[in-house]
Every structure is written in C-alpha cells, then in structure tokens.
C-alpha cells in the first residue's frame, strides 16, 4: 500500500534526522523527493506544492537552528500530511443501525458488505445483509454467496424489481438485527435515475450511515465523485477499496479530505478480513514506519546532544578538528551501532557497507575500542596537541603500554587524525570557512577512502 511514498517518507525523515547541516542543497533534494513521490501517489499538484513550500520555508528560516529546526520540520511534515489525509470519523453504533452502501458499478460495494459484516460479527454484533441491487441480475446471488460463507443472514428477492418493495417485505424481519447492511445498485455514472433511486431509498429506509464506496485506483477523480454523491445522496462517510492494488491511493484519500467527505474504512484486498478502520494518524504512522510523532522526533535526538553538535559544527566551520572530535565521532559510531551502521548513514559510504564482512566489522570495532583506549592514555596536553607525539617515540611507547596496544596502533590513530584534519583544513580554506552539506559529503567520501578503519 503506497509503498513508494512510504519509502520516500522514511528516507526523508532519516535524512533530516541525520543531517549535520540542513542547508539549501539538502532541503532541495528532500523537497524534490517528496514532490516526486506525492505526485506519483496522485496527490493534487497544488496540495503538494503548498506542503513542500511550507517545509522549504521553515527549513531555510535562519531564526531556528540545529536540533530545534530539525524537530520543527519533522513536526511540520507530519502535521501537513495529517491535514491532507483529513479527519477521522469514528462510527458510533446505536441500538439499531442501518448502513447503506452506494457507489458506481464495480467499485466494491458488495465485497465491502461482506467485509463489514465479518468485521462487526467478529466483534459480537448481530448482523444481517439486505440485497437491493435489482439492476444486475447476478447481484443478489453474489451477495448471498459472500454472506453464506461468513454464515451471516442475507435477505434477497431475485424476482422483485422494485427495491422499495423488497425492503418492505423484509422490514419487520430485519428489526431483529443490530446492524443491517444494505447493498444497492451501481451505475456507470451518477445519473438522474441513480440519484432518484437513492433518494427514495434514503427516505424510506432512513439509514443511520450512508457509505460511498470508491475504488482507490480512480485517484484524484474521487474528488468530484465524492462531491456529487455528498450533495445528492446524503453520504456520511467514504470507503476506499483496492488500496492494495494501485499507486494512486494518495489521490483518492486526499481528494475525499478536500471535499470533507471523511474516509471511514479502507479495503486492502479481496478477502473478508481485508478491511481496516481508517484514521489519518495511524495511516501516516504506518507510512512513516514509526509509532507516533514522538518517536519520529526521538530519531532527531538520537546520537549527539544539541550542544555537542553545535560545538562540533562551529569548529569544523573554522577548519579545526581536535583529537577529542575524532574520538567523539568514533564514540558516535559506537552508539549508533558500530561502523556498519555508520557507513549506511554517511552518503557515499553506503556501497562500501556491502563489501564489509561480519569478520571485518568485528576487527574494525576492536580497532575503535583500541583507539578509545589510546586516547584515554594520552595526557591532556597530548590530546590538545597530538603533534607532541610525532617526534617522541617514548611518549608513543608509554601510550601503547598504558592502553594495551602497540606503537603502530598509536601511530595509526595519529595518522587518521592528521589525515582528517588536513582534509578539513583544505576544504574550509577552499570554501572560505563555510562548510556546507555538500562539502561534508565530499569530505566523508575522501575520508572514507583513505581511512583505514
Ligand atoms: N484487490 C482488491 N479487490 C477488491 C477490493 N474490494 C473489492 N474488490 C474487487 O472488486 C471487484 C468488484 O467488487 P464488487 O463488490 O462486486 O463491486 P460492486 O460495487 O458491488 O459492483 P456492482 O454491484 O457491479 O455495482 C470484485 O472483483 C472484488 O473482488 C479490495 O479492497 N482489493
Ligand atoms: Mg454489487
């Protein structure tokens, strides 16, 4: 169900959470991905532009910075998506309930009646169905077959051609049931004939709910259909079927929201159990692959504290890197689940990840531990100025001894530090002290190639 949109949304929130700088280049790429996949899901272009413009504006707003900005954008993205999905309309049951199902030919009315009958009878309600589709000769038998399988009573009359007469015939019998599901006939379009038929059934039956059943594959066309049925057939909710078999479901859902026709259920397959209550919040949570907004925000707060990020950013922007920055990067790697995880998060490192075997990962993680031990065995002066070690073998020997490593391992850490520092210096002078996301990416790639983790 909307797999591509779901993938993009997950990727987008990851990009925001993991970004060091939310600069224009990154924002542009996020916006482009979002626009592409929302439009692919058939969401109205002007809706898409309005959402993405709001996000872009917030992202480039200089008044909010760092973690707060990431949080702000994630919230904004979440709230905007919820708002285009509409509001949830809970179905409250009374003592006696009559649900009438209306819609055009082949949109899934009869199948959905089976699903809803199963849904409520499983929850202990006494359910029955009434077949009032007198236009398609096979319709009453189809309804009967579906409900017989579920062992739910069904009332049909294959000979009678007047739906009102069928209703009157079974009226007293139906009073025994808590929920009566009424199947009606479809048409190719909402013709005058269909409108008058639905109006007369409405005034005779007085259903507690009238559900418009529409297939998701009509995408944005759901808007005019919902609007027309709303004004002529008094619908109280919409059921979108075939969510499982189209990429256009985003269009159908958001179109209903635009005309304030609340979606109450979605159909996700042909079987009786393929039905879900619809609520924008839970639907979006599933698309995002997160429990709720809070878990999304927690993602932003994951690895480093806001202060740590800010301090590191300003040092990097000035082209400075301390030994403790390097160790802090290494510690971050550990808290994120080791270098394997890190490689998947840094652009350009992704491919290398596949080539690293478990065994290699283990030695790399051991190396990281060694580096930390080496750092802990250094004096404060040595940490501030690692150059002190370069010419003094005795210091290197002392550190190797203290950390349980070898002198060549100490030299290796010094080499990594120097390499990264040189890269940062050269980059920051090239970009006149203004390191942005693109430069960081380039750096990460170069760094990745030369680092010997
Ligand atoms: N994949 C999928 N197929 C569905 C879903 N809902 C209905 N269908 C299929 O859509 C087709 C038409 O469904 P019906 O229930 O006969 O539609 P209808 O609105 O009653 O059609 P008419 O009575 O001709 O107006 C059937 O083949 C169903 O199996 C769904 O959620 N997913
Ligand atoms: Mg039918």
């Amino acid at each position: 169900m909307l797999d591509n949109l779901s993938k993009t949304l997950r990727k987008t929130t990851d990009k925001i959470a993991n970004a060091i700088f939310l600069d224009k280049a990154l924002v542009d790429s996020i916006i482009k991905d979002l626009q592409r996949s929302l439009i692919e899901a058939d969401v109205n272009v002007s809706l898409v532009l309005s959402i993405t413009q709001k996000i872009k504006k917030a992202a480039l707003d200089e008044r909010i910075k760092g973690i707060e900005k990431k949080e702000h954008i994630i919230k904004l993205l979440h709230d905007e998506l919820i708002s285009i999905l509409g509001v949830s309309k809970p179905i409250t049951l009374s003592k006696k309930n009559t649900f009438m199902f209306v819609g055009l030919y082949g949109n899934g009315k009869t199948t959905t009646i089976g699903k809803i009958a199963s849904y409520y009878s499983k929850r202990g309600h006494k359910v029955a169905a009434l077949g009032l589709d007198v236009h398609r000769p096979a319709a009453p038998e189809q309804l009967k077959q579906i409900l017989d399988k579920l062992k739910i009573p069904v009332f049909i009359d294959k000979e009678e051609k007047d739906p009102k007469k069928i209703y009157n015939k079974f009226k007293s019998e139906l009073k025994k049931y808590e929920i009566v599901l009424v199947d009606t006939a479809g048409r190719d379009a909402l013709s005058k004939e269909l409108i008058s038929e639905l109006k007369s059934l409405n005034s005779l039956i007085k259903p507690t709910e009238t559900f418009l059943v529409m297939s998701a594959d009509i995408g944005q066309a759901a808007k005019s259909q919902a609007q027309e049925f709303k004004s002529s057939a008094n619908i109280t909710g919409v059921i979108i079927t075939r969510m499982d078999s189209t990429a256009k479901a985003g269009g159908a859902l958001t179109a209903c929201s635009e005309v304030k026709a609340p979606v109450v259920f979605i159909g996700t397959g042909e079987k009786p159990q393929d039905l879900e209550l619809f609520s924008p919040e839970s639907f979006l949570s599933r698309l995002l692959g997160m429990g709720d907004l809070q878990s999304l925000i927690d993602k932003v707060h994951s690895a480093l504290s806001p202060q740590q990020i800010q301090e590191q950013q300003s040092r990097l922007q000035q082209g400075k890197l301390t030994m403790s920055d390097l160790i802090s990067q290494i510690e971050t790697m550990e808290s994120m689940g080791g270098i394997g995880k890190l490689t998947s998060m840094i652009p350009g490192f992704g491919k290398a990840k596949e080539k690293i075997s478990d065994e290699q990962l283990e030695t790399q993680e051991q190396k990281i531990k060694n580096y930390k031990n080496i750092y802990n065995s250094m004096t404060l002066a040595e940490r501030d100025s690692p150059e002190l070690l370069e010419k003094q073998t005795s210091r290197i020997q002392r550190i190797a001894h203290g950390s349980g490593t070898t002198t060549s391992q100490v030299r290796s850490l010094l080499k990594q530090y120097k390499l990264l520092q040189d890269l940062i210096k050269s980059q920051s002078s090239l970009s006149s002290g203004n390191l942005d996301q693109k430069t960081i990416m380039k750096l990460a790639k170069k760094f990745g190639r030369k680092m010997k983790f």
Side-chain angles (χ1 to χ4, degrees), residues 105-111 115 136 142 242 244 267-270:
Y105 276 144
N107 273 264
K109 294 179 291 296
T110 311
T111 315
K115 293 177 182 179
R136 210 161 48 79
Q142 184 198 0
R242 294 205 200 104
D244 53 305
T268 55
E270 290 185 272

Side-chain angles (χ1 to χ4, degrees), residues 57 72 104 175 188 208 221 263 280 284 305 351 404 429 431 439:
K57 198 166 158 234
H72 179 59
L104 301 183
K175 286 202 175 112
D188 283 329
T208 44
V263 178
L284 183 63
S305 77
K351 284 196 192 85
S429 60
S431 54
T439 320

Side-chain angles (χ1 to χ4, degrees), residues 7 16 33 59 71 108 112-113 171 178 196 210 259 335 453:
K7 246 184 245 159
I16 296 171
D33 288 350
E71 232 189 82
T112 303
I113 286 178
K171 198 174 160 188
E178 229 183 313
S196 86
T210 302
V259 294
S335 72
F453 277 140

